């Protein structure tokens, strides 16, 4: 009978149409299987009447049906020697009846408790301790607020400690349920988790059948800590609409609390009035899957081969474990900085377990290549006028750890850090406090350097705790004159902008930069075009409602992050950078990737286009017409300067308006002019021509052994007279004296 049920489940899932009259199974050796029936709400096929009496937690023998994950594949394993023989026998019978392809197809995706595809209204519970611990909080990887008794706590918790408690999920459609993933309560104050549980299924939420393991009710192994997700596979994949998790035992010093995800595949039902609804996805023909290191490299190579004229793959260094940090360059002249063309970068995978950014950049490079070949004018213009750099995996070591666990089993932090245990977003030099400390002791704070702040000596020593990945990215930033960047993260829905680090180490404090208005514009551009962020009816991810801030927030106002890449980029280079929290789910299931691409596609494109806002130009020597490197471009009333690149070209991001701009360089006389920035997303051209100072010209002429021209002699004499006057020396003729 076990073999019959497994075969029947496979047939239904692989496209079999449910019989209008239901299904009859006449065998009295094992459990139950639920099917849709057109003449009644529920057809429950019960093959044996097992007792539903609840035994005492202290006396009842518990036989576990457990499953764990190895890599990407779901394998049945038992933690109980007594149960191993039963599971091995079942596994052998199942293997005899299914091909390898069928096994892969039967690995059903999550319903979407973590990704929020499952609405709060679809989750019910027998009871709950309080609103902040209601059923809507029982989602995998749900994060709690930091206050004890927070309105947004980190799990569903029952109001009673007995075996009659349950968390129920309505799939809305007939679904082939295959498994449950359980997690304890996220809390810094309480230790609560469910250790064993039963699973019950129904088609009407009234009549329930308990999942069976042979002739006994299946008892699934739950958690032994707060955060590790534990997978429980149903002995027989079963079709139903509703599913309940029924805790049986729990941590002895805690109470019944859990977070969960449900695995299941939607089944065709001709009686479902919503069955014709199209599943959300994408029309773009992209490789929507999670790519490990080898697969990522292969995909990048295939894009380069498809579009060799506009792509180049290069590396900026290696991870601690020796994995190369690959970058895809996309430009009409790859491999070369073109005068006046701005440099843009996207960085993903700083935290290895935040995998969505990695896949979005792989999608983006495929999309740009294919649309360029199709002649999409928007994409052609973007690639022709911008040099784009895409780093899909800054922390490949961490990603491989999370990838091996799988999207639903990596938890909240598995793979976040590098192999050495370093959080890369806290690993850059803290230049903020260097600048602020200098301003505090300076007689005139305006004289303190506000850009190109050098890296402190302690950071450059060999024994400094600096990851090789961080050093590689710093060198990359120094080599290329980037103008604009975004750092792609996951686990929330918000765009943050500098400063990330607060003054005086305050845990939360709005800490704006001199370019706060433009940073707010950049953040708003991404957030307002992101399909989920822009939805006013969306649910909050965890415990903070960023819609109150239009889905953007100053990094320091959220939480302080000393040593962030955003702040370093702003204070050490010319590049403006924001952080994009792409999705509530850090590591979405592969089935969610097409949806996430559509959510972010327009945002990724329109954000890149912002690199062309503001002013740009070339700073040249008046005599030689050559570009002047490291010329300082200062916008009056803006306390942040930038510098020209090696060829003398510069880009200054600014909002629309009139600006007085002063440019100077060592050995040159400063030049001032007014520049106007319009509302259209096009840069205003503001070129500058600088003349060398008389002293600089004299130095160069003397170095060459040349003769000092008369005009230079007059300029030098005038300079000496001005210097004497400034020192208070009175100049007079013999008669007047």
């Amino acid at each position: 009978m076990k073999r019959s049920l497994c075969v029947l489940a496979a047939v239904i899932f692989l496209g079999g149409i449910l019989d209008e009259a239901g299904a009859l199974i006449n065998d009295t050796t094992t459990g139950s299987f639920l099917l849709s029936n057109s003449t009644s709400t529920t057809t429950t096929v019960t093959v044996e009447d097992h007792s539903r009496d609840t035994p005492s937690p202290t006396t009842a023998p518990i036989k576990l049906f457990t499953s764990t994950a190895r890599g990407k594949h779901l394998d049945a394993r038992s933690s109980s020697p007594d149960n191993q023989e039963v599971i091995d026998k079942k596994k052998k019978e199942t293997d005899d009846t299914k091909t390898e392809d069928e096994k892969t197809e039967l690995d059903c995706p999550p319903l979407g408790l973590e990704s929020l595809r499952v609405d709060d209204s679809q989750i019910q519970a027998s009871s709950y301790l309080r609103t902040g611990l209601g059923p809507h909080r029982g989602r995998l990887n749900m994060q709690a607020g930091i206050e004890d008794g927070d309105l947004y706590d980190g799990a569903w918790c029952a109001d009673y400690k007995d075996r009659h408690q349950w968390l129920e999920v309505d799939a809305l459609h007939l679904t082939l349920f295959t498994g449950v993933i359980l997690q304890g309560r996220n809390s810094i104050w309480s230790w609560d988790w469910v250790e064993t549980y039963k699973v019950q299924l129904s088609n009407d939420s009234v009549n329930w059948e308990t999942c069976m393991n042979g002739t006994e009710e299946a008892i699934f192994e739950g958690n032994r800590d707060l955060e590790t997700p534990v997978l429980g596979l149903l002995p027989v994949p079963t079709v139903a609409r509703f599913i309940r998790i029924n805790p049986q035992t729990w941590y002895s010093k805690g109470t019944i609390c859990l977070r969960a995800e449900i695995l299941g595949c939607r089944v065709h039902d001709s009686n479902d009035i919503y069955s014709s609804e199209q599943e959300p996805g994408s029309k773009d023909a992209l490789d929507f899957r999670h790519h490990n290191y080898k697969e990522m490299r292969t995909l990048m190579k295939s894009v380069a081969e498809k579009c060799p004229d506009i792509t180049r793959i290069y590396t900026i260094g290696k991870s601690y474990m020796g994995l190369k940090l690959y970058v895809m360059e996309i430009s009409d002249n790859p491999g070369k900085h073109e005068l006046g063309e701005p440099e843009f970068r996207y960085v993903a995978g700083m935290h290895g377990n935040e995998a969505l950014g990695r896949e979005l950049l792989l999608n983006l490079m495929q999309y740009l290549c294919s649309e360029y070949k199709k002649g999409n004018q928007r994409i052609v213009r973007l690639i022709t006028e911008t040099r784009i750099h895409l780093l899909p995996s800054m922390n490949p070591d961490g990603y491989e750890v999370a990838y091996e666990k799988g999207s639903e089993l990596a938890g909240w932090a598995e793979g976040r850090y590098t192999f050495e245990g370093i959080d890369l977003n806290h690993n850059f030099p803290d230049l903020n406090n260097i600048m602020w400390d200098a301003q505090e002791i300076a007689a005139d704070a305006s004289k303190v350097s506000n850009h190109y702040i050098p890296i402190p000596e302690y950071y450059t020593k060999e024994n400094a705790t600096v990851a090789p990945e961080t050093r590689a990215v710093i060198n990359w930033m120094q080599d290329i004159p980037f103008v604009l960047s975004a750092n792609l993260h996951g686990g929330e829905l918000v765009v943050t902008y500098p400063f990330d680090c607060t003054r005086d180490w305050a845990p939360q404090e709005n800490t704006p930069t001199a370019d706060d208005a433009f940073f707010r514009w950049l953040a708003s551009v991404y957030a307002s075009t992101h399909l989920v962020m822009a939805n006013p009816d969306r649910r909050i991810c965890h415990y903070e409602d960023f819609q109150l801030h239009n889905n953007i927030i100053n990094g320091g106002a959220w939480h302080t992050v000393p040593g962030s890449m955003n702040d370093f980029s702003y204070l050490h280079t010319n590049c403006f950078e924001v952080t994009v929290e792409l999705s509530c789910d850090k590591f979405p299931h592969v089935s969610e990737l097409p949806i996430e691409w559509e959510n972010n596609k327009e945002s990724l494109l329109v954000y890149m286009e912002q690199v062309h806002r503001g002013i740009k130009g070339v700073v040249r020597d008046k005599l030689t017409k050559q570009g002047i490197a490291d010329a300082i471009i200062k916008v009056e009333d803006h306390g942040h300067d930038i510098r020209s690149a090696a060829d003398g070209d510069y880009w200054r991001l600014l909002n629309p308006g009139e600006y007085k701009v002063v440019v100077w360089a060592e050995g040159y006389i400063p030049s001032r002019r007014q520049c106007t920035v319009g509302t259209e997303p096009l840069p205003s051209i503001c070129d500058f021509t600088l003349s060398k100072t008389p002293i600089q010209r004299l130095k160069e002429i003397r170095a060459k052994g040349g003769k000092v021209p008369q005009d230079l002699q007059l300029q030098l004499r005038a300079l000496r007279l001005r210097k004497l006057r400034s020192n208070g020396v009175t100049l007079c003729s013999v008669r007047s004296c």
Side-chain angles (χ1 to χ4, degrees):
M1 179 57 193
K2 288 184 286 186
R3 176 171 175 173
S4 301
L5 291 176
C6 291
V7 174
L8 181 55
V11 170
I12 292 172
F13 172 60
L14 295 173
I17 299 175
L18 296 176
D19 190 306
E20 294 293 331
L24 297 177
I25 302 176
N26 295 316
D27 195 307
T28 59
T29 59
T30 62
S32 63
F33 193 87
L34 305 182
L35 292 177
S36 173
N37 187 297
S38 61
T39 59
S40 64
T41 306
T42 308
T43 298
T44 304
V45 184
T46 305
V47 294
E48 192 170 86
D49 185 19
H50 299 290
S51 172
R52 298 294 183 267
D53 294 335
T54 304
S56 168
T58 58
T59 59
I62 295 176
K63 207 168 190 180
L64 301 180
F65 180 83
T66 64
S67 301
T68 57
R70 297 290 182 269
K72 293 166 57 184
H73 304 287
L74 307 179
D75 301 321
R77 297 287 187 271
S78 174
S79 61
S80 167
D82 296 336
N83 205 32
Q84 189 62 52
E85 182 179 349
V86 176
I87 295 175
D88 287 345
K89 182 179 179 182
K90 172 181 169 51
K91 185 176 186 298
K92 183 178 186 306
E93 292 176 346
T94 304
D95 289 347
D96 292 340
T97 60
K98 293 190 287 188
T99 67
E100 192 63 38
D101 289 341
E102 288 174 330
K103 291 176 192 175
T104 302
E105 290 182 24
L106 282 172
D107 287 342
C108 289
L111 293 190
L113 274 77
E114 182 179 12
S115 68
L116 304 185
R117 288 187 69 182
V118 173
D119 189 73
D120 286 351
S121 62
Q122 293 173 243
I123 312 173
Q124 307 293 327
S126 53
S127 65
Y128 53 90
L129 202 56
R130 51 184 168 79
T131 303
L133 294 167
H136 63 294
R137 304 296 294 173
R139 298 171 181 270
L140 190 71
N141 287 320
M142 178 62 67
Q143 299 299 293
I146 61 173
E147 301 293 334
D148 188 19
D150 199 286
L151 183 61
Y152 301 104
D153 218 318
W156 161 68
C157 292
D159 194 22
Y160 307 102
K161 293 185 181 182
D162 61 48
R163 291 185 170 186
H164 302 291
Q165 304 306 305
W166 45 260
L167 181 74
E168 176 184 320
V169 178
D170 179 3
L172 298 181
H173 311 279
L174 280 181
T175 300
L176 181 69
F177 291 111
T178 60
V180 172
I181 299 173
L182 223 60
Q183 206 174 25
R185 175 183 177 182
N186 176 252
S187 175
I188 60 175
W189 309 104
S190 305
W191 282 38
D192 302 302
W193 58 78
V194 169
E195 295 187 338
T196 62
Y197 63 97
K198 294 180 181 180
V199 173
Q200 299 169 340
L201 300 153
S202 173
N203 277 1
D204 58 6
S205 191
V206 176
N207 301 297
W208 292 87
E209 289 290 330
T210 301
C211 181
M212 305 299 293
N213 183 27
T215 58
E216 300 179 357
E217 292 183 347
I219 304 291
F220 296 86
E221 184 177 9
N223 303 104
R224 290 295 183 267
D225 60 46
L226 298 173
E227 294 296 336
T228 305
V230 175
L231 169 67
L233 292 177
L234 273 60
V236 178
T238 306
V239 175
R241 172 176 164 176
F242 301 88
I243 185 169
R244 278 183 179 176
I245 300 168
N246 175 213
Q248 296 297 295
T249 60
W250 44 92
Y251 179 52
S252 60
K253 297 181 181 179
T255 188
I256 300 175
C257 294
L258 63 85
R259 293 174 285 167
E261 183 60 86
I262 307 297
L263 305 181
C265 301
R266 183 171 171 181
V267 174
H268 172 72
D269 178 12
S270 58
N271 294 319
D272 187 350
I273 60 174
Y274 302 106
S275 61
S276 61
E277 288 183 354
Q278 205 168 24
E279 287 289 319
S282 176
K283 294 181 180 178
D284 296 323
L286 307 177
D287 187 6
F288 292 117
R289 61 191 173 99
H290 287 292
H291 298 77
N292 62 18
Y293 176 75
K294 182 179 179 181
E295 293 165 341
M296 178 189 73
R297 188 173 55 184
T298 300
L299 185 144
M300 294 177 71
K301 183 180 179 182
S302 70
V303 172
E305 291 172 348
K306 185 178 179 181
C307 294
D309 296 335
I310 62 168
T311 61
R312 178 177 74 102
I313 300 173
Y314 65 97
T315 64
I316 61 172
K318 292 182 179 180
S319 70
Y320 182 84
M321 295 300 291
L323 300 182
K324 293 180 179 180
L325 306 183
Y326 286 105
V327 178
M328 171 69 79
E329 177 191 341
I330 302 178
S331 169
D332 63 337
N333 195 358
K336 180 182 178 182
H337 172 73
E338 297 181 72
L339 189 71
E341 185 170 287
E343 308 265 359
F344 177 93
R345 72 170 182 259
Y346 272 131
V347 177
M350 170 178 272
H351 295 145
N353 62 328
E354 295 168 16
L356 179 56
R358 175 191 182 106
E359 297 308 321
L360 287 177
L361 292 193
L362 295 178
N363 293 155
L364 181 61
M365 60 183 71
Q366 296 172 72
Y367 180 81
L368 292 175
C369 170
S370 62
E371 292 300 304
Y372 183 87
K373 291 174 72 72
K374 292 176 185 177
N376 181 325
Q377 286 305 297
R378 181 187 187 187
I379 302 304
V380 170
R381 183 170 58 253
L382 184 62
I383 292 174
T384 302
E385 298 176 356
T386 318
R387 191 176 178 210
I388 302 166
H389 305 259
L390 307 178
L391 172 59
S393 187
M394 182 178 169
N395 179 8
D397 295 347
Y399 176 81
E400 293 300 306
V401 171
Y403 178 84
E404 286 302 312
K405 289 283 186 175
S407 62
E408 309 310 308
L409 297 172
W412 189 249
E414 191 85 27
R416 173 187 176 91
Y417 307 102
T418 67
F419 185 85
E420 300 173 276
I422 296 173
D423 187 333
L424 295 179
N425 204 33
H426 293 261
N427 197 225
F428 287 80
D430 176 10
L431 304 183
N432 305 58
N433 284 289
I434 292 175
M435 180 182 69
W436 293 331
D437 290 346
Q439 289 173 345
E440 285 182 4
I441 63 176
D444 184 355
S446 65
K447 302 296 183 182
V448 175
S449 178
N450 57 33
H451 73 296
Y452 273 56
I453 298 173
I455 295 174
E457 185 180 352
Y458 76 85
Y459 192 87
T460 62
K461 293 182 179 179
E462 288 187 10
N463 61 350
T465 307
V466 183
E469 297 88 345
T470 308
R471 294 190 189 276
V473 169
I474 289 175
N475 291 335
W476 185 41
M477 290 177 172
Q478 294 172 333
D479 289 343
I480 298 176
F482 289 113
V483 180
L484 182 61
S485 172
N487 183 10
L488 306 184
H489 286 240
E492 256 299 349
L493 280 168
V494 68
V495 183
T496 72
Y497 53 90
F499 286 121
D500 291 331
C501 183
T502 61
R503 284 183 181 243
D504 303 320
W505 306 103
Q508 285 181 306
E509 183 178 67
N510 187 51
T511 313
T513 66
D515 290 284
D516 189 61
F518 193 79
F519 271 119
R520 289 177 63 83
W521 165 260
L522 288 173
S524 297
V525 162
Y526 200 103
S528 63
T529 52
H530 187 283
L531 297 186
V532 180
M533 287 192 212
N535 180 4
D537 299 322
R538 76 170 178 89
R539 183 196 189 283
I540 66 170
C541 288
H542 300 287
Y543 56 89
E544 293 182 275
D545 188 358
F546 290 110
Q547 291 198 66
L548 298 175
H549 311 283
N550 295 316
N551 302 301
I552 68 171
I553 192 169
N554 173 264
W558 186 15
H559 55 83
T560 186
V561 183
S564 78
M565 186 165 73
N566 289 5
D567 289 0
F568 176 81
S569 180
Y570 182 68
L571 293 175
H572 187 68
T573 75
N574 290 335
C575 188
F576 288 29
E577 181 173 282
V578 303
T579 291
V580 183
E581 299 285 349
L582 298 161
S583 171
C584 300
D585 192 345
K586 287 185 176 183
F587 200 142
H589 188 268
V590 65
S591 62
E592 299 282 348
L593 294 181
I595 304 168
E596 293 293 356
W597 165 248
E598 290 300 321
N599 289 341
N600 287 276
K601 178 170 68 173
E602 178 60 22
S603 302
L604 290 166
L605 296 175
V606 74
Y607 184 81
M608 284 193 288
E609 292 168 340
Q610 304 314 301
V611 76
H612 297 285
R613 287 194 176 272
I615 60 175
K616 76 171 186 177
V618 181
V619 182
R620 290 186 172 91
D621 183 289
K622 184 177 182 178
L623 293 178
T624 66
K625 307 303 180 186
Q626 296 297 309
I628 301 173
D630 290 325
I632 298 174
I633 294 88
K634 179 178 181 61
V635 178
E636 289 191 1
D637 300 324
H638 276 64
H640 183 78
D641 306 332
I642 64 164
R643 298 196 183 194
S644 59
D647 296 330
D649 46 352
Y650 78 91
W651 305 263
R652 183 47 164 106
L653 299 175
L654 291 166
N655 281 325
E658 298 282 339
Y659 299 94
K660 293 178 181 179
V661 183
V662 180
V663 174
W664 72 88
E666 186 176 354
Y668 288 88
I669 300 171
S671 176
R672 181 193 307 265
R673 64 173 293 187
Q674 186 155 310
C675 303
T676 302
V677 178
T679 56
E680 63 279 356
L682 296 171
S684 298
I685 307 299
C686 273
D687 293 327
F688 289 84
T689 301
L690 302 186
S691 299
K692 288 180 180 176
T693 64
I695 293 176
Q696 181 65 25
R697 287 181 62 193
L698 181 63
K699 287 180 180 178
E700 293 178 359
I701 290 171
R702 285 178 173 174
K704 296 177 181 179
K707 184 179 179 181
V708 179
Q710 188 174 3
D711 69 316
L712 180 56
Q713 292 180 28
L714 293 173
Q715 289 176 355
L716 290 169
R717 182 182 177 186
L719 281 174
R720 284 194 292 270
L721 291 173
R722 282 201 295 270
K723 185 176 181 180
L724 288 171
R725 289 193 185 99
S726 66
N727 290 334
V729 178
T730 302
L731 302 175
C732 58
S733 65
V734 174
R735 181 177 298 176
S736 62
C737 292

